[in-house]
Amino acid sequence: LILSINSSIMWQKDTPDSPSIQYSKVIFTAFDHLEEGLPAITQAAEKAALQLVSFGGRLLVSYMPEAPASSNSFAIEAYFRSGGMKMKKYAKYGISRIDSGDVLLIDDLGLDTELRKAHIEQAREAGALVILFGSASSSLSTEADFLIDTGLLPGTAPSVQLDGLPRAICPAAPTANITALWMFTGELVAACTRLGRMPAMFQSIIVPGGRDWLKKYSSVDFHAYITVDPVSPNLLGSAYLAEMRRCLQGLCDQVTSLQAGGEMLAATFRAGGIARVATLGHHLPGQFGLPGDPMRLDDSLTWNIQQEYDVPKLMEEIDQGDALLLIGYFDYPPWNDWEPFREIGFPSIWVTGNR
């Protein structure tokens, strides 16, 4: 979404599709490919569940300590996210031990390729199961035990073509890889239930009681006293993908608003201002600076949307003539707190989920 608005800044209306629609079409194509590949995702999940339940393996996600956030956004999303499995741990390349029976999840955006190849080799030599998320055309596609193929081109797969630009912009691969990750996670949980175990899951800290839940099960991988009926194969992965389709279609239905947002930010640039962005999310900050990012949004705000909606503090970091793109969670900031911001004429775009 950030990248859709980002590219709308530069869109000329005589092109066939707006940038947000171009971007969405590529993501829908990846969704179609993942739907076709759901049986393969389930097969990988069943093998992973066997490692975790029967052999006591650990569920690890590859992390590159020396790499920028853009190289680790998949790992950050996978590791600590409401709805995710609490047993996931970082496997930091060059630091963390990997043992026989472990499961290593790793993504491929064409970044740090040699390091990722070395991490895969280390894991497989140790006897771990390696599951790669990315393109079947990638140079790493044959290195892992399982490939979950998104159907996109290798690398970050920029997806928006604009007249006057030498190459496509707006990476689609991160969104596709994350979608594949959560489809896999759903099928992994389901496979564990078919082996008689229910993994402990993260609950959102925004949900009432969420912090207490996390504290209570902080060291629990599988519940000892909570059981569920076995969940059928392909059910949870399909349900997740259907919800993703619904959400993306909802954005497509608001293309006029996306275009208006892009035009507002373009006017900010023409007037010499800066388009600043604040995000609430694990994966989002890692999207800035990827190959294909048009680099039009400034993400340097130190104001922390995750902890406070302190508008006076925010206004200390924003100059008159700037604009703000705020990517929230599932609610708006307290409306009254934003009146001073609006009264002095700061233009803003707010994006939020819908309860």
Side-chain angles (χ1 to χ4, degrees):
L1 175 61
I2 289 176
L3 295 169
S4 296
I5 292 177
N6 208 340
S7 57
S8 293
I9 296 167
M10 298 174 280
W11 177 46
Q12 302 298 315
K13 289 188 174 56
D14 56 355
T15 55
D17 285 325
S18 72
S20 53
I21 296 301
Q22 289 186 51
Y23 184 80
S24 298
K25 284 182 175 180
V26 174
I27 298 300
F28 275 127
T29 298
F31 287 175
D32 291 342
H33 193 86
L34 289 169
E35 185 171 26
E36 293 175 4
L38 183 55
I41 295 174
T42 299
Q43 182 183 11
E46 289 175 336
K47 179 64 174 178
L50 191 65
Q51 299 278 98
L52 303 177
V53 173
S54 300
F55 304 120
R58 297 172 299 160
L59 183 58
L60 307 174
V61 57
S62 175
Y63 186 95
M64 300 295 160
E66 303 301 323
S70 55
S71 289
N72 286 312
S73 60
F74 177 93
I76 294 169
E77 172 78 4
Y79 171 58
F80 189 80
R81 160 65 75 182
S82 61
M85 299 171 70
K86 290 186 86 284
M87 69 176 71
K88 283 178 185 168
K89 301 289 189 298
Y90 281 145
K92 296 183 178 181
Y93 176 67
I95 299 174
S96 303
R97 188 188 78 254
I98 300 179
D99 296 325
S100 176
D102 290 343
V103 177
L104 179 69
L105 310 182
I106 185 167
D107 73 312
D108 179 20
L109 294 176
L111 308 173
D112 310 304
T113 300
E114 291 305 313
L115 293 179
R116 291 173 190 276
K117 181 177 180 180
H119 209 190
I120 292 171
E121 291 173 351
Q122 175 196 348
R124 296 190 72 183
E125 287 173 3
L129 178 74
V130 180
I131 301 172
L132 177 68
F133 298 78
S135 170
S137 301
S138 160
S139 62
L140 295 180
S141 62
T142 60
E143 300 291 331
D145 295 289
F146 287 94
L147 168 70
I148 297 182
D149 175 27
T150 61
L152 300 182
L153 295 173
T156 60
S159 58
V160 174
Q161 301 280 350
L162 293 176
D163 290 342
L165 294 183
R167 60 186 63 86
I169 59 174
C170 302
T175 301
N177 286 359
I178 289 296
T179 302
L181 165 71
W182 291 119
M183 291 176 67
F184 168 81
T185 300
E187 290 304 319
L188 177 56
V189 171
C192 288
T193 67
R194 296 195 294 274
L195 295 175
R197 304 298 302 275
M198 178 61 207
M201 311 296 290
F202 280 113
Q203 190 173 64
S204 173
I205 60 174
I206 297 194
V207 172
R211 293 183 186 274
D212 292 336
W213 174 276
L214 295 180
K215 189 180 300 182
K216 181 176 181 180
Y217 297 108
S218 61
S219 60
V220 174
D221 290 343
F222 291 100
H223 288 289
Y225 305 107
I226 297 178
T227 59
V228 299
D229 293 334
V231 180
S232 299
N234 303 329
L235 182 64
L236 296 185
S238 178
Y240 180 81
L241 187 59
E243 181 64 8
M244 286 291 289
R245 286 184 186 277
R246 185 193 69 80
C247 292
L248 184 56
Q249 185 58 54
L251 290 173
C252 292
D253 293 342
Q254 300 174 78
V255 64
T256 301
S257 295
L258 291 171
Q259 292 168 6
E263 290 168 2
M264 188 194 81
L265 297 183
T268 298
F269 293 140
R270 287 194 295 270
I274 299 173
R276 300 184 181 273
V277 60
T279 65
L280 173 58
H282 305 231
H283 182 238
L284 287 171
Q287 301 313 291
F288 300 103
L290 284 172
D293 178 5
M295 306 292 286
R296 301 305 301 269
L297 298 176
D298 185 301
D299 67 327
S300 64
L301 289 174
T302 60
W303 174 73
N304 190 347
I305 186 177
Q306 302 192 50
Q307 297 178 359
E308 56 188 341
Y309 288 127
D310 186 344
V311 178
K313 183 177 179 181
L314 171 64
M315 290 169 62
E316 293 176 2
E317 298 192 48
I318 298 183
D319 296 324
Q320 190 74 34
D322 291 348
L324 176 69
L325 171 60
L326 187 148
I327 311 294
Y329 200 62
F330 286 93
D331 52 8
Y332 287 111
W335 188 268
N336 291 338
D337 291 354
W338 287 82
E339 286 305 312
F341 186 86
R342 297 169 62 81
E343 287 172 359
I344 62 176
F346 278 122
S348 61
I349 305 168
W350 296 358
V351 183
T352 181
N354 183 0
R355 284 184 174 154

